Amino acid sequence: MTDLDARCANWGYVLRRRRSGKSVSLIWDGYYRAKSWNESAPQSLHVADVADAWIIEQAWADPRLFRLHRVCLAYHYVHRLDPRIACRLVRLHLKVKLRAHGWDKTLEQARDDLGRVLEMRDKQLNSPFNPLPTAQILCIRQAQLGFT
């Protein structure tokens, strides 16, 4: 399991743990508006890195990532679908002919594209000319607000 694969698995774990029934995305669910969900969450053996899941979520929602790759990542990591069912849903919703034997290749391409988007976002965030706060400052603010 690669580092990016572990980060994506953590992203899926956080989204499955937080699923409210209306949406599965941290961005769509208003993650930073709901402060009290963390206190009522059951404690588990898996320690989730919520800040890293938020970074993966932002990269996943980036428009530079192809829609097919975005859907494949969500079906694999968040919904944990069997490749045959995921391919059927891709054919129904995106009108892309994807077979189960090509799922691994498509998923690998999606992970590579997500890695490229993460690298581009890291370069932008760590640029000295960036007016936005860096990921470290966001993690500190998140800890101060009690989201960890």
Side-chain angles (χ1 to χ4, degrees):
M1 192 185 314
T2 63
D3 182 44
L4 183 59
D5 193 33
R7 290 178 72 186
C8 289
N10 176 60
W11 168 65
Y13 175 77
V14 169
L15 288 180
R16 280 190 308 276
R17 191 178 73 176
R18 177 62 185 115
R19 190 176 301 172
S20 65
K22 293 181 181 177
S23 66
V24 294
S25 173
L26 290 173
I27 291 174
W28 298 332
D29 221 8
Y31 174 76
Y32 281 110
R33 284 182 268 142
K35 183 179 177 182
S36 63
W37 75 270
N38 200 13
E39 288 109 25
S40 63
Q43 298 297 325
S44 65
L45 296 176
H46 185 277
V47 178
D49 187 1
V50 180
D52 187 54
W54 178 251
I55 291 169
I56 296 290
E57 175 76 16
Q58 287 177 329
W60 176 81
D62 195 289
R64 291 176 282 200
L65 193 64
F66 290 127
R67 186 171 180 209
L68 171 65
H69 293 168
R70 191 177 301 131
V71 167
C72 288
L73 288 168
Y75 283 164
H76 182 75
Y77 290 107
V78 178
H79 302 293
R80 290 184 169 177
L81 292 180
D82 184 68
R84 293 171 294 184
I85 296 171
C87 291
R88 186 181 311 142
L89 289 173
V90 166
R91 279 195 302 271
L92 284 173
H93 297 293
L94 298 180
K95 309 292 188 249
V96 175
K97 289 192 177 187
L98 184 62
R99 301 286 181 200
H101 62 271
W103 177 256
D104 291 334
K105 184 178 178 183
T106 306
L107 189 62
E108 184 179 334
Q109 290 173 349
R111 271 192 297 254
D112 291 343
D113 281 353
L114 184 69
R116 266 194 297 274
V117 170
L118 282 168
E119 287 176 10
M120 286 189 283
R121 291 179 65 85
D122 285 344
K123 285 180 185 176
Q124 289 173 351
L125 283 176
N126 296 329
S127 171
F129 303 108
N130 184 16
L132 300 174
T134 63
Q136 295 168 345
I137 294 173
L138 290 175
C139 291
I140 291 170
R141 287 183 188 158
Q142 181 184 22
Q144 289 171 347
L145 294 174
F147 287 118
T148 56

PDB file of all heavy atoms in Angstrom, residues 52-87:
ATOM      1  N   ASP A  52      -5.791  15.628   7.156  1.00  0.00           N
ATOM      2  CA  ASP A  52      -5.311  15.069   5.891  1.00  0.00           C
ATOM      3  C   ASP A  52      -6.485  14.671   5.004  1.00  0.00           C
ATOM      4  O   ASP A  52      -6.422  14.828   3.785  1.00  0.00           O
ATOM      5  CB  ASP A  52      -4.411  13.868   6.150  1.00  0.00           C
ATOM      6  CG  ASP A  52      -3.768  13.373   4.873  1.00  0.00           C
ATOM      7  OD1 ASP A  52      -3.135  14.208   4.178  1.00  0.00           O
ATOM      8  OD2 ASP A  52      -3.899  12.174   4.554  1.00  0.00           O
ATOM      9  N   ALA A  53      -7.569  14.187   5.594  1.00  0.00           N
ATOM     10  CA  ALA A  53      -8.751  13.849   4.807  1.00  0.00           C
ATOM     11  C   ALA A  53      -9.346  15.098   4.160  1.00  0.00           C
ATOM     12  O   ALA A  53      -9.827  15.047   3.025  1.00  0.00           O
ATOM     13  CB  ALA A  53      -9.788  13.168   5.685  1.00  0.00           C
ATOM     14  N   TRP A  54      -9.269  16.216   4.871  1.00  0.00           N
ATOM     15  CA  TRP A  54      -9.760  17.471   4.306  1.00  0.00           C
ATOM     16  C   TRP A  54      -8.896  17.901   3.117  1.00  0.00           C
ATOM     17  O   TRP A  54      -9.415  18.391   2.117  1.00  0.00           O
ATOM     18  CB  TRP A  54      -9.790  18.542   5.379  1.00  0.00           C
ATOM     19  CG  TRP A  54     -10.223  19.874   4.880  1.00  0.00           C
ATOM     20  CD1 TRP A  54      -9.453  20.979   4.710  1.00  0.00           C
ATOM     21  CD2 TRP A  54     -11.527  20.260   4.457  1.00  0.00           C
ATOM     22  NE1 TRP A  54     -10.194  22.015   4.218  1.00  0.00           N
ATOM     23  CE2 TRP A  54     -11.475  21.595   4.048  1.00  0.00           C
ATOM     24  CE3 TRP A  54     -12.741  19.586   4.375  1.00  0.00           C
ATOM     25  CZ2 TRP A  54     -12.592  22.276   3.572  1.00  0.00           C
ATOM     26  CZ3 TRP A  54     -13.852  20.277   3.903  1.00  0.00           C
ATOM     27  CH2 TRP A  54     -13.763  21.600   3.511  1.00  0.00           C
ATOM     28  N   ILE A  55      -7.591  17.720   3.208  1.00  0.00           N
ATOM     29  CA  ILE A  55      -6.699  18.059   2.099  1.00  0.00           C
ATOM     30  C   ILE A  55      -6.996  17.172   0.892  1.00  0.00           C
ATOM     31  O   ILE A  55      -7.061  17.650  -0.252  1.00  0.00           O
ATOM     32  CB  ILE A  55      -5.223  17.938   2.544  1.00  0.00           C
ATOM     33  CG1 ILE A  55      -4.898  19.037   3.558  1.00  0.00           C
ATOM     34  CG2 ILE A  55      -4.279  18.022   1.356  1.00  0.00           C
ATOM     35  CD1 ILE A  55      -3.566  18.860   4.255  1.00  0.00           C
ATOM     36  N   ILE A  56      -7.192  15.873   1.121  1.00  0.00           N
ATOM     37  CA  ILE A  56      -7.535  14.959   0.026  1.00  0.00           C
ATOM     38  C   ILE A  56      -8.889  15.341  -0.566  1.00  0.00           C
ATOM     39  O   ILE A  56      -9.080  15.310  -1.786  1.00  0.00           O
ATOM     40  CB  ILE A  56      -7.551  13.497   0.530  1.00  0.00           C
ATOM     41  CG1 ILE A  56      -6.157  13.059   0.978  1.00  0.00           C
ATOM     42  CG2 ILE A  56      -8.084  12.550  -0.534  1.00  0.00           C
ATOM     43  CD1 ILE A  56      -5.161  12.899  -0.133  1.00  0.00           C
ATOM     44  N   GLU A  57      -9.832  15.725   0.283  1.00  0.00           N
ATOM     45  CA  GLU A  57     -11.157  16.128  -0.198  1.00  0.00           C
ATOM     46  C   GLU A  57     -11.076  17.353  -1.096  1.00  0.00           C
ATOM     47  O   GLU A  57     -11.736  17.423  -2.135  1.00  0.00           O
ATOM     48  CB  GLU A  57     -12.065  16.410   0.996  1.00  0.00           C
ATOM     49  CG  GLU A  57     -13.421  16.956   0.648  1.00  0.00           C
ATOM     50  CD  GLU A  57     -14.364  15.912   0.103  1.00  0.00           C
ATOM     51  OE1 GLU A  57     -14.093  14.713   0.261  1.00  0.00           O
ATOM     52  OE2 GLU A  57     -15.391  16.305  -0.477  1.00  0.00           O
ATOM     53  N   GLN A  58     -10.243  18.325  -0.713  1.00  0.00           N
ATOM     54  CA  GLN A  58     -10.093  19.517  -1.543  1.00  0.00           C
ATOM     55  C   GLN A  58      -9.443  19.177  -2.873  1.00  0.00           C
ATOM     56  O   GLN A  58      -9.821  19.719  -3.909  1.00  0.00           O
ATOM     57  CB  GLN A  58      -9.270  20.570  -0.804  1.00  0.00           C
ATOM     58  CG  GLN A  58     -10.021  21.228   0.312  1.00  0.00           C
ATOM     59  CD  GLN A  58      -9.165  22.218   1.069  1.00  0.00           C
ATOM     60  OE1 GLN A  58      -7.950  22.051   1.171  1.00  0.00           O
ATOM     61  NE2 GLN A  58      -9.790  23.236   1.614  1.00  0.00           N
ATOM     62  N   ALA A  59      -8.462  18.281  -2.865  1.00  0.00           N
ATOM     63  CA  ALA A  59      -7.829  17.863  -4.116  1.00  0.00           C
ATOM     64  C   ALA A  59      -8.813  17.055  -4.958  1.00  0.00           C
ATOM     65  O   ALA A  59      -8.822  17.163  -6.182  1.00  0.00           O
ATOM     66  CB  ALA A  59      -6.576  17.041  -3.828  1.00  0.00           C
ATOM     67  N   TRP A  60      -9.637  16.246  -4.313  1.00  0.00           N
ATOM     68  CA  TRP A  60     -10.631  15.444  -5.028  1.00  0.00           C
ATOM     69  C   TRP A  60     -11.663  16.338  -5.718  1.00  0.00           C
ATOM     70  O   TRP A  60     -12.135  16.040  -6.803  1.00  0.00           O
ATOM     71  CB  TRP A  60     -11.313  14.501  -4.044  1.00  0.00           C
ATOM     72  CG  TRP A  60     -12.418  13.683  -4.627  1.00  0.00           C
ATOM     73  CD1 TRP A  60     -12.308  12.538  -5.357  1.00  0.00           C
ATOM     74  CD2 TRP A  60     -13.816  13.950  -4.523  1.00  0.00           C
ATOM     75  NE1 TRP A  60     -13.546  12.075  -5.703  1.00  0.00           N
ATOM     76  CE2 TRP A  60     -14.492  12.927  -5.201  1.00  0.00           C
ATOM     77  CE3 TRP A  60     -14.556  14.953  -3.908  1.00  0.00           C
ATOM     78  CZ2 TRP A  60     -15.875  12.885  -5.291  1.00  0.00           C
ATOM     79  CZ3 TRP A  60     -15.936  14.902  -4.004  1.00  0.00           C
ATOM     80  CH2 TRP A  60     -16.574  13.874  -4.690  1.00  0.00           C
ATOM     81  N   ALA A  61     -12.015  17.448  -5.074  1.00  0.00           N
ATOM     82  CA  ALA A  61     -13.011  18.365  -5.635  1.00  0.00           C
ATOM     83  C   ALA A  61     -12.407  19.351  -6.634  1.00  0.00           C
ATOM     84  O   ALA A  61     -13.145  20.149  -7.218  1.00  0.00           O
ATOM     85  CB  ALA A  61     -13.691  19.131  -4.508  1.00  0.00           C
ATOM     86  N   ASP A  62     -11.103  19.294  -6.848  1.00  0.00           N
ATOM     87  CA  ASP A  62     -10.433  20.202  -7.768  1.00  0.00           C
ATOM     88  C   ASP A  62     -10.919  19.950  -9.197  1.00  0.00           C
ATOM     89  O   ASP A  62     -11.021  18.807  -9.625  1.00  0.00           O
ATOM     90  CB  ASP A  62      -8.917  19.984  -7.690  1.00  0.00           C
ATOM     91  CG  ASP A  62      -8.152  21.122  -8.324  1.00  0.00           C
ATOM     92  OD1 ASP A  62      -8.189  21.223  -9.566  1.00  0.00           O
ATOM     93  OD2 ASP A  62      -7.524  21.895  -7.593  1.00  0.00           O
ATOM     94  N   PRO A  63     -11.226  21.007  -9.957  1.00  0.00           N
ATOM     95  CA  PRO A  63     -11.722  20.800 -11.329  1.00  0.00           C
ATOM     96  C   PRO A  63     -10.681  20.229 -12.288  1.00  0.00           C
ATOM     97  O   PRO A  63     -11.044  19.792 -13.380  1.00  0.00           O
ATOM     98  CB  PRO A  63     -12.164  22.197 -11.769  1.00  0.00           C
ATOM     99  CG  PRO A  63     -11.595  23.141 -10.802  1.00  0.00           C
ATOM    100  CD  PRO A  63     -11.263  22.400  -9.554  1.00  0.00           C
ATOM    101  N   ARG A  64      -9.406  20.211 -11.897  1.00  0.00           N
ATOM    102  CA  ARG A  64      -8.387  19.628 -12.776  1.00  0.00           C
ATOM    103  C   ARG A  64      -8.441  18.105 -12.783  1.00  0.00           C
ATOM    104  O   ARG A  64      -7.846  17.471 -13.647  1.00  0.00           O
ATOM    105  CB  ARG A  64      -6.994  20.087 -12.344  1.00  0.00           C
ATOM    106  CG  ARG A  64      -6.762  21.557 -12.604  1.00  0.00           C
ATOM    107  CD  ARG A  64      -5.428  21.974 -12.079  1.00  0.00           C
ATOM    108  NE  ARG A  64      -5.527  22.125 -10.621  1.00  0.00           N
ATOM    109  CZ  ARG A  64      -4.685  22.824  -9.902  1.00  0.00           C
ATOM    110  NH1 ARG A  64      -3.674  23.418 -10.480  1.00  0.00           N
ATOM    111  NH2 ARG A  64      -4.833  22.935  -8.602  1.00  0.00           N
ATOM    112  N   LEU A  65      -9.149  17.512 -11.839  1.00  0.00           N
ATOM    113  CA  LEU A  65      -9.295  16.062 -11.786  1.00  0.00           C
ATOM    114  C   LEU A  65     -10.489  15.667 -12.652  1.00  0.00           C
ATOM    115  O   LEU A  65     -11.568  16.233 -12.522  1.00  0.00           O
ATOM    116  CB  LEU A  65      -9.528  15.626 -10.333  1.00  0.00           C
ATOM    117  CG  LEU A  65      -9.415  14.151 -10.015  1.00  0.00           C
ATOM    118  CD1 LEU A  65      -8.005  13.656 -10.247  1.00  0.00           C
ATOM    119  CD2 LEU A  65      -9.821  13.887  -8.578  1.00  0.00           C
ATOM    120  N   PHE A  66     -10.276  14.697 -13.563  1.00  0.00           N
ATOM    121  CA  PHE A  66     -11.339  14.264 -14.451  1.00  0.00           C
ATOM    122  C   PHE A  66     -12.517  13.725 -13.652  1.00  0.00           C
ATOM    123  O   PHE A  66     -12.347  13.118 -12.596  1.00  0.00           O
ATOM    124  CB  PHE A  66     -10.852  13.168 -15.400  1.00  0.00           C
ATOM    125  CG  PHE A  66      -9.888  13.646 -16.434  1.00  0.00           C
ATOM    126  CD1 PHE A  66      -8.674  13.029 -16.600  1.00  0.00           C
ATOM    127  CD2 PHE A  66     -10.197  14.724 -17.252  1.00  0.00           C
ATOM    128  CE1 PHE A  66      -7.778  13.460 -17.544  1.00  0.00           C
ATOM    129  CE2 PHE A  66      -9.319  15.160 -18.208  1.00  0.00           C
ATOM    130  CZ  PHE A  66      -8.095  14.535 -18.351  1.00  0.00           C
ATOM    131  N   ARG A  67     -13.705  13.920 -14.192  1.00  0.00           N
ATOM    132  CA  ARG A  67     -14.907  13.466 -13.487  1.00  0.00           C
ATOM    133  C   ARG A  67     -14.905  11.943 -13.330  1.00  0.00           C
ATOM    134  O   ARG A  67     -15.306  11.425 -12.283  1.00  0.00           O
ATOM    135  CB  ARG A  67     -16.138  13.921 -14.261  1.00  0.00           C
ATOM    136  CG  ARG A  67     -17.412  13.621 -13.534  1.00  0.00           C
ATOM    137  CD  ARG A  67     -18.592  14.264 -14.204  1.00  0.00           C
ATOM    138  NE  ARG A  67     -19.795  13.926 -13.451  1.00  0.00           N
ATOM    139  CZ  ARG A  67     -20.978  13.831 -13.991  1.00  0.00           C
ATOM    140  NH1 ARG A  67     -21.125  14.067 -15.267  1.00  0.00           N
ATOM    141  NH2 ARG A  67     -22.018  13.522 -13.262  1.00  0.00           N
ATOM    142  N   LEU A  68     -14.450  11.223 -14.358  1.00  0.00           N
ATOM    143  CA  LEU A  68     -14.385   9.762 -14.268  1.00  0.00           C
ATOM    144  C   LEU A  68     -13.462   9.331 -13.134  1.00  0.00           C
ATOM    145  O   LEU A  68     -13.794   8.437 -12.352  1.00  0.00           O
ATOM    146  CB  LEU A  68     -13.894   9.169 -15.590  1.00  0.00           C
ATOM    147  CG  LEU A  68     -13.576   7.681 -15.592  1.00  0.00           C
ATOM    148  CD1 LEU A  68     -14.833   6.865 -15.354  1.00  0.00           C
ATOM    149  CD2 LEU A  68     -12.905   7.267 -16.885  1.00  0.00           C
ATOM    150  N   HIS A  69     -12.324   9.991 -13.006  1.00  0.00           N
ATOM    151  CA  HIS A  69     -11.389   9.648 -11.939  1.00  0.00           C
ATOM    152  C   HIS A  69     -11.955   9.998 -10.574  1.00  0.00           C
ATOM    153  O   HIS A  69     -11.763   9.262  -9.600  1.00  0.00           O
ATOM    154  CB  HIS A  69     -10.056  10.340 -12.165  1.00  0.00           C
ATOM    155  CG  HIS A  69      -9.343   9.829 -13.370  1.00  0.00           C
ATOM    156  ND1 HIS A  69      -8.245  10.457 -13.905  1.00  0.00           N
ATOM    157  CD2 HIS A  69      -9.555   8.745 -14.161  1.00  0.00           C
ATOM    158  CE1 HIS A  69      -7.818   9.786 -14.961  1.00  0.00           C
ATOM    159  NE2 HIS A  69      -8.614   8.741 -15.136  1.00  0.00           N
ATOM    160  N   ARG A  70     -12.660  11.108 -10.489  1.00  0.00           N
ATOM    161  CA  ARG A  70     -13.280  11.502  -9.231  1.00  0.00           C
ATOM    162  C   ARG A  70     -14.317  10.463  -8.797  1.00  0.00           C
ATOM    163  O   ARG A  70     -14.358  10.063  -7.632  1.00  0.00           O
ATOM    164  CB  ARG A  70     -13.936  12.874  -9.402  1.00  0.00           C
ATOM    165  CG  ARG A  70     -14.382  13.505  -8.135  1.00  0.00           C
ATOM    166  CD  ARG A  70     -14.955  14.887  -8.334  1.00  0.00           C
ATOM    167  NE  ARG A  70     -13.986  15.765  -8.953  1.00  0.00           N
ATOM    168  CZ  ARG A  70     -14.249  16.543 -10.007  1.00  0.00           C
ATOM    169  NH1 ARG A  70     -15.437  16.553 -10.542  1.00  0.00           N
ATOM    170  NH2 ARG A  70     -13.319  17.318 -10.513  1.00  0.00           N
ATOM    171  N   VAL A  71     -15.113  10.007  -9.748  1.00  0.00           N
ATOM    172  CA  VAL A  71     -16.146   9.016  -9.442  1.00  0.00           C
ATOM    173  C   VAL A  71     -15.508   7.683  -9.066  1.00  0.00           C
ATOM    174  O   VAL A  71     -15.945   7.021  -8.118  1.00  0.00           O
ATOM    175  CB  VAL A  71     -17.107   8.882 -10.643  1.00  0.00           C
ATOM    176  CG1 VAL A  71     -18.001   7.671 -10.511  1.00  0.00           C
ATOM    177  CG2 VAL A  71     -17.939  10.140 -10.792  1.00  0.00           C
ATOM    178  N   CYS A  72     -14.468   7.283  -9.772  1.00  0.00           N
ATOM    179  CA  CYS A  72     -13.794   6.014  -9.469  1.00  0.00           C
ATOM    180  C   CYS A  72     -13.185   6.031  -8.069  1.00  0.00           C
ATOM    181  O   CYS A  72     -13.297   5.042  -7.325  1.00  0.00           O
ATOM    182  CB  CYS A  72     -12.708   5.721 -10.503  1.00  0.00           C
ATOM    183  SG  CYS A  72     -13.348   5.256 -12.109  1.00  0.00           S
ATOM    184  N   LEU A  73     -12.558   7.135  -7.699  1.00  0.00           N
ATOM    185  CA  LEU A  73     -11.984   7.230  -6.356  1.00  0.00           C
ATOM    186  C   LEU A  73     -13.065   7.168  -5.282  1.00  0.00           C
ATOM    187  O   LEU A  73     -12.899   6.499  -4.260  1.00  0.00           O
ATOM    188  CB  LEU A  73     -11.180   8.528  -6.220  1.00  0.00           C
ATOM    189  CG  LEU A  73      -9.861   8.580  -6.984  1.00  0.00           C
ATOM    190  CD1 LEU A  73      -9.325  10.005  -7.000  1.00  0.00           C
ATOM    191  CD2 LEU A  73      -8.848   7.637  -6.395  1.00  0.00           C
ATOM    192  N   ALA A  74     -14.174   7.843  -5.510  1.00  0.00           N
ATOM    193  CA  ALA A  74     -15.255   7.827  -4.519  1.00  0.00           C
ATOM    194  C   ALA A  74     -15.880   6.438  -4.414  1.00  0.00           C
ATOM    195  O   ALA A  74     -16.155   5.959  -3.308  1.00  0.00           O
ATOM    196  CB  ALA A  74     -16.320   8.855  -4.890  1.00  0.00           C
ATOM    197  N   TYR A  75     -16.089   5.771  -5.542  1.00  0.00           N
ATOM    198  CA  TYR A  75     -16.678   4.430  -5.506  1.00  0.00           C
ATOM    199  C   TYR A  75     -15.750   3.443  -4.806  1.00  0.00           C
ATOM    200  O   TYR A  75     -16.209   2.553  -4.100  1.00  0.00           O
ATOM    201  CB  TYR A  75     -16.978   3.920  -6.911  1.00  0.00           C
ATOM    202  CG  TYR A  75     -18.219   4.524  -7.536  1.00  0.00           C
ATOM    203  CD1 TYR A  75     -18.445   4.426  -8.899  1.00  0.00           C
ATOM    204  CD2 TYR A  75     -19.182   5.184  -6.783  1.00  0.00           C
ATOM    205  CE1 TYR A  75     -19.575   4.964  -9.486  1.00  0.00           C
ATOM    206  CE2 TYR A  75     -20.305   5.734  -7.356  1.00  0.00           C
ATOM    207  CZ  TYR A  75     -20.497   5.611  -8.706  1.00  0.00           C
ATOM    208  OH  TYR A  75     -21.621   6.146  -9.275  1.00  0.00           O
ATOM    209  N   HIS A  76     -14.447   3.588  -5.002  1.00  0.00           N
ATOM    210  CA  HIS A  76     -13.512   2.623  -4.420  1.00  0.00           C
ATOM    211  C   HIS A  76     -13.250   2.881  -2.944  1.00  0.00           C
ATOM    212  O   HIS A  76     -13.302   1.960  -2.129  1.00  0.00           O
ATOM    213  CB  HIS A  76     -12.186   2.653  -5.195  1.00  0.00           C
ATOM    214  CG  HIS A  76     -11.193   1.663  -4.701  1.00  0.00           C
ATOM    215  ND1 HIS A  76     -11.299   0.323  -4.967  1.00  0.00           N
ATOM    216  CD2 HIS A  76     -10.076   1.808  -3.957  1.00  0.00           C
ATOM    217  CE1 HIS A  76     -10.289  -0.320  -4.400  1.00  0.00           C
ATOM    218  NE2 HIS A  76      -9.533   0.571  -3.782  1.00  0.00           N
ATOM    219  N   TYR A  77     -12.964   4.129  -2.591  1.00  0.00           N
ATOM    220  CA  TYR A  77     -12.543   4.419  -1.215  1.00  0.00           C
ATOM    221  C   TYR A  77     -13.700   4.767  -0.281  1.00  0.00           C
ATOM    222  O   TYR A  77     -13.676   4.384   0.882  1.00  0.00           O
ATOM    223  CB  TYR A  77     -11.521   5.553  -1.197  1.00  0.00           C
ATOM    224  CG  TYR A  77     -10.195   5.148  -1.771  1.00  0.00           C
ATOM    225  CD1 TYR A  77      -9.784   5.594  -3.007  1.00  0.00           C
ATOM    226  CD2 TYR A  77      -9.362   4.284  -1.074  1.00  0.00           C
ATOM    227  CE1 TYR A  77      -8.569   5.199  -3.542  1.00  0.00           C
ATOM    228  CE2 TYR A  77      -8.157   3.882  -1.601  1.00  0.00           C
ATOM    229  CZ  TYR A  77      -7.765   4.347  -2.830  1.00  0.00           C
ATOM    230  OH  TYR A  77      -6.572   3.955  -3.358  1.00  0.00           O
ATOM    231  N   VAL A  78     -14.681   5.501  -0.759  1.00  0.00           N
ATOM    232  CA  VAL A  78     -15.758   5.942   0.120  1.00  0.00           C
ATOM    233  C   VAL A  78     -16.870   4.899   0.185  1.00  0.00           C
ATOM    234  O   VAL A  78     -17.274   4.477   1.263  1.00  0.00           O
ATOM    235  CB  VAL A  78     -16.320   7.308  -0.341  1.00  0.00           C
ATOM    236  CG1 VAL A  78     -17.468   7.740   0.544  1.00  0.00           C
ATOM    237  CG2 VAL A  78     -15.222   8.352  -0.340  1.00  0.00           C
ATOM    238  N   HIS A  79     -17.339   4.471  -0.981  1.00  0.00           N
ATOM    239  CA  HIS A  79     -18.471   3.544  -1.015  1.00  0.00           C
ATOM    240  C   HIS A  79     -18.055   2.079  -0.939  1.00  0.00           C
ATOM    241  O   HIS A  79     -18.912   1.228  -0.701  1.00  0.00           O
ATOM    242  CB  HIS A  79     -19.292   3.778  -2.280  1.00  0.00           C
ATOM    243  CG  HIS A  79     -19.809   5.168  -2.396  1.00  0.00           C
ATOM    244  ND1 HIS A  79     -20.757   5.682  -1.548  1.00  0.00           N
ATOM    245  CD2 HIS A  79     -19.487   6.178  -3.241  1.00  0.00           C
ATOM    246  CE1 HIS A  79     -21.019   6.930  -1.874  1.00  0.00           C
ATOM    247  NE2 HIS A  79     -20.256   7.260  -2.894  1.00  0.00           N
ATOM    248  N   ARG A  80     -16.792   1.788  -1.193  1.00  0.00           N
ATOM    249  CA  ARG A  80     -16.242   0.420  -1.155  1.00  0.00           C
ATOM    250  C   ARG A  80     -17.029  -0.541  -2.047  1.00  0.00           C
ATOM    251  O   ARG A  80     -17.384  -1.639  -1.653  1.00  0.00           O
ATOM    252  CB  ARG A  80     -16.225  -0.122   0.261  1.00  0.00           C
ATOM    253  CG  ARG A  80     -15.236   0.534   1.147  1.00  0.00           C
ATOM    254  CD  ARG A  80     -15.244  -0.157   2.481  1.00  0.00           C
ATOM    255  NE  ARG A  80     -14.136   0.273   3.296  1.00  0.00           N
ATOM    256  CZ  ARG A  80     -13.951  -0.129   4.532  1.00  0.00           C
ATOM    257  NH1 ARG A  80     -14.770  -0.974   5.082  1.00  0.00           N
ATOM    258  NH2 ARG A  80     -12.931   0.305   5.213  1.00  0.00           N
ATOM    259  N   LEU A  81     -17.282  -0.098  -3.269  1.00  0.00           N
ATOM    260  CA  LEU A  81     -18.057  -0.918  -4.191  1.00  0.00           C
ATOM    261  C   LEU A  81     -17.190  -1.968  -4.866  1.00  0.00           C
ATOM    262  O   LEU A  81     -16.001  -1.761  -5.095  1.00  0.00           O
ATOM    263  CB  LEU A  81     -18.704  -0.042  -5.261  1.00  0.00           C
ATOM    264  CG  LEU A  81     -19.798   0.903  -4.798  1.00  0.00           C
ATOM    265  CD1 LEU A  81     -20.331   1.699  -5.969  1.00  0.00           C
ATOM    266  CD2 LEU A  81     -20.921   0.155  -4.127  1.00  0.00           C
ATOM    267  N   ASP A  82     -17.804  -3.076  -5.209  1.00  0.00           N
ATOM    268  CA  ASP A  82     -17.156  -4.096  -6.019  1.00  0.00           C
ATOM    269  C   ASP A  82     -16.884  -3.494  -7.403  1.00  0.00           C
ATOM    270  O   ASP A  82     -17.692  -2.701  -7.901  1.00  0.00           O
ATOM    271  CB  ASP A  82     -18.104  -5.301  -6.135  1.00  0.00           C
ATOM    272  CG  ASP A  82     -17.469  -6.438  -6.873  1.00  0.00           C
ATOM    273  OD1 ASP A  82     -16.522  -7.038  -6.338  1.00  0.00           O
ATOM    274  OD2 ASP A  82     -17.941  -6.730  -7.996  1.00  0.00           O
ATOM    275  N   PRO A  83     -15.764  -3.835  -8.036  1.00  0.00           N
ATOM    276  CA  PRO A  83     -15.456  -3.243  -9.341  1.00  0.00           C
ATOM    277  C   PRO A  83     -16.542  -3.458 -10.398  1.00  0.00           C
ATOM    278  O   PRO A  83     -16.792  -2.573 -11.221  1.00  0.00           O
ATOM    279  CB  PRO A  83     -14.155  -3.928  -9.755  1.00  0.00           C
ATOM    280  CG  PRO A  83     -13.512  -4.301  -8.476  1.00  0.00           C
ATOM    281  CD  PRO A  83     -14.632  -4.624  -7.542  1.00  0.00           C
ATOM    282  N   ARG A  84     -17.216  -4.594 -10.368  1.00  0.00           N
ATOM    283  CA  ARG A  84     -18.271  -4.840 -11.361  1.00  0.00           C
ATOM    284  C   ARG A  84     -19.442  -3.886 -11.162  1.00  0.00           C
ATOM    285  O   ARG A  84     -19.987  -3.342 -12.125  1.00  0.00           O
ATOM    286  CB  ARG A  84     -18.747  -6.288 -11.267  1.00  0.00           C
ATOM    287  CG  ARG A  84     -17.674  -7.281 -11.683  1.00  0.00           C
ATOM    288  CD  ARG A  84     -18.102  -8.667 -11.384  1.00  0.00           C
ATOM    289  NE  ARG A  84     -18.199  -8.785  -9.913  1.00  0.00           N
ATOM    290  CZ  ARG A  84     -18.471  -9.896  -9.283  1.00  0.00           C
ATOM    291  NH1 ARG A  84     -18.701 -11.008  -9.951  1.00  0.00           N
ATOM    292  NH2 ARG A  84     -18.536  -9.936  -7.971  1.00  0.00           N
ATOM    293  N   ILE A  85     -19.818  -3.655  -9.913  1.00  0.00           N
ATOM    294  CA  ILE A  85     -20.924  -2.731  -9.632  1.00  0.00           C
ATOM    295  C   ILE A  85     -20.511  -1.296  -9.935  1.00  0.00           C
ATOM    296  O   ILE A  85     -21.288  -0.516 -10.493  1.00  0.00           O
ATOM    297  CB  ILE A  85     -21.381  -2.883  -8.173  1.00  0.00           C
ATOM    298  CG1 ILE A  85     -21.933  -4.287  -7.963  1.00  0.00           C
ATOM    299  CG2 ILE A  85     -22.400  -1.828  -7.799  1.00  0.00           C
ATOM    300  CD1 ILE A  85     -22.208  -4.633  -6.531  1.00  0.00           C
ATOM    301  N   ALA A  86     -19.283  -0.953  -9.581  1.00  0.00           N
ATOM    302  CA  ALA A  86     -18.794   0.403  -9.861  1.00  0.00           C
ATOM    303  C   ALA A  86     -18.759   0.668 -11.364  1.00  0.00           C
ATOM    304  O   ALA A  86     -19.150   1.748 -11.814  1.00  0.00           O
ATOM    305  CB  ALA A  86     -17.415   0.594  -9.252  1.00  0.00           C
ATOM    306  N   CYS A  87     -18.312  -0.314 -12.142  1.00  0.00           N
ATOM    307  CA  CYS A  87     -18.274  -0.146 -13.600  1.00  0.00           C
ATOM    308  C   CYS A  87     -19.684   0.005 -14.166  1.00  0.00           C
ATOM    309  O   CYS A  87     -19.911   0.789 -15.089  1.00  0.00           O
ATOM    310  CB  CYS A  87     -17.566  -1.320 -14.253  1.00  0.00           C
ATOM    311  SG  CYS A  87     -15.804  -1.364 -13.913  1.00  0.00           S
TER     312      CYS A  87
END
